[in-house]
Amino acid sequence: MTKISDCFGSLRSNSQCALIPFITAGDPDLETTAKALRVLDQSGADIIELGVPYSDPLADGPTIHAAATRALQKGVQLDDVLAMVKEVSPELQAPIVLFTYYNPILNRGINSFLEQIAQVGAKGLVVPDLPLEEAEILLKPAAELGIEVILLVAPTSPTERIEAIAKQSQGFIYLVSVTGVTGMRTQLQSRVKDLLNQMRDVTDKPIGVGFGISEPEQAKQVKDWGADAVIVGSAIVKRLADGTPSEGLSAIGDFCQSLKLAITE
């Protein structure tokens, strides 16, 4: 499993856009999550974002929130997720990025948390409620352990803040395509194209666009606007949850392949 920045370096050298699917750990169960990671890895995913279920997910829309609630109701905890990642990560080519909120990190202790996720093979971390002003306390120890902390840029962020976030973010910069929470949408805000151009003026780091991408055509549009990565969450979480686990795994494999095909030149 390669570093996230190395993954983007390889893709950029071949003028390729990265596909980053998101799933929620423990929905419908951890055994299926492990299989889903393998399926996504074999179906075109370049990086995989794995959500740790949390009781108060402020950035999550109804689909991902419901998935996290189901996982929590089955008793899935952080240690269970880490044990599963430790088992599966050696088999994967795509680096795993953990998506979790700041409170569980603080409860465990920043250094302890980072050491544990590094030991199980995670390569990146997204903390949606981590303010830029507090990011340094996480960024430095994470870098020392080989964990790249990816920071988010909101569509309402002024240029000065975008520049500051871009300077601090590791691996890539996560551009949120819409205001509000995650979820499937039929149209993307055209402001994303302008934001991508604006960000190019202040950084040469890779930029991934997420929140609201639910169809291959939207993935292609974001790629054509100049994104280095397309992040798809709710549309995959929904497919995995529909029907039996076997049907869900087949559905996300087919969908992942269609997304990758749409963004491959």
Side-chain angles (χ1 to χ4, degrees):
M1 191 188 293
T2 60
K3 287 180 60 178
I4 295 162
S5 50
D6 290 343
C7 178
F8 275 107
S10 176
L11 288 165
R12 273 185 162 182
S13 67
N14 293 299
S15 301
Q16 294 293 313
C17 180
L19 174 61
I20 308 179
F22 170 101
I23 57 173
T24 300
D27 183 51
D29 52 61
L30 283 172
E31 181 182 356
T32 303
T33 302
K35 291 178 180 177
L37 291 172
R38 297 183 183 101
V39 167
L40 294 172
D41 188 55
Q42 296 163 8
S43 302
D46 297 292
I47 296 165
I48 302 172
E49 194 176 2
L50 180 64
V52 178
Y54 181 58
S55 58
D56 190 22
L58 299 178
D60 295 339
T63 299
I64 295 176
H65 192 166
T69 299
R70 289 191 294 267
L72 290 171
Q73 287 174 344
K74 293 185 177 181
V76 175
Q77 298 181 351
L78 176 60
D79 287 336
D80 303 316
V81 176
L82 296 181
M84 183 273 297
V85 172
K86 183 177 182 179
E87 175 191 341
V88 178
S89 60
E91 304 173 30
L92 307 179
Q93 293 294 317
I96 292 178
V97 174
L98 289 182
F99 179 106
T100 187
Y101 288 83
Y102 198 24
N103 195 49
I105 299 174
L106 290 177
N107 284 342
R108 183 150 301 206
I110 289 174
N111 289 332
S112 177
F113 176 86
L114 292 171
E115 287 169 1
Q116 288 179 330
I117 70 169
Q119 287 169 1
V120 302
K123 298 297 182 182
L125 184 63
V126 174
V127 187
D129 58 344
L130 174 67
L132 174 63
E133 292 74 19
E134 297 181 32
E136 186 61 32
I137 196 171
L138 197 61
L139 290 164
K140 187 175 179 181
E144 292 172 354
L145 291 165
I147 299 291
E148 294 176 287
V149 179
I150 297 125
L151 302 181
L152 288 81
V153 167
T156 54
S157 299
T159 302
E160 298 79 12
R161 190 165 184 84
I162 290 174
E163 189 169 3
I165 292 170
K167 191 175 295 183
Q168 295 281 357
S169 192
Q170 302 165 341
F172 69 98
I173 305 157
Y174 194 134
L175 172 58
V176 176
S177 67
V178 294
T179 54
V181 297
T182 61
M184 296 177 290
R185 291 169 174 82
T186 55
Q187 289 185 321
L188 290 174
Q189 293 184 4
S190 58
R191 173 155 167 72
V192 173
K193 181 179 181 180
D194 297 331
L195 279 167
L196 282 165
N197 291 331
Q198 183 181 349
M199 291 173 70
R200 292 291 177 214
D201 291 337
V202 300
T203 184
D204 60 358
K205 289 181 180 177
I207 302 168
V209 176
F211 285 47
I213 299 170
S214 59
E215 299 292 343
E217 294 77 15
Q218 293 173 326
K220 183 180 186 304
Q221 183 176 59
V222 168
K223 177 244 183 187
D224 290 345
W225 282 342
D228 296 284
V230 174
I231 304 163
V232 182
S234 295
I236 291 177
V237 171
K238 183 178 186 301
R239 282 169 172 81
L240 184 58
D242 286 347
T244 66
S246 178
E247 290 169 340
L249 290 167
S250 177
I252 66 168
D254 291 344
F255 185 53
C256 190
Q257 289 176 20
S258 71
L259 290 167
K260 186 61 178 178
L261 183 63
I263 61 173
T264 300
E265 293 181 346

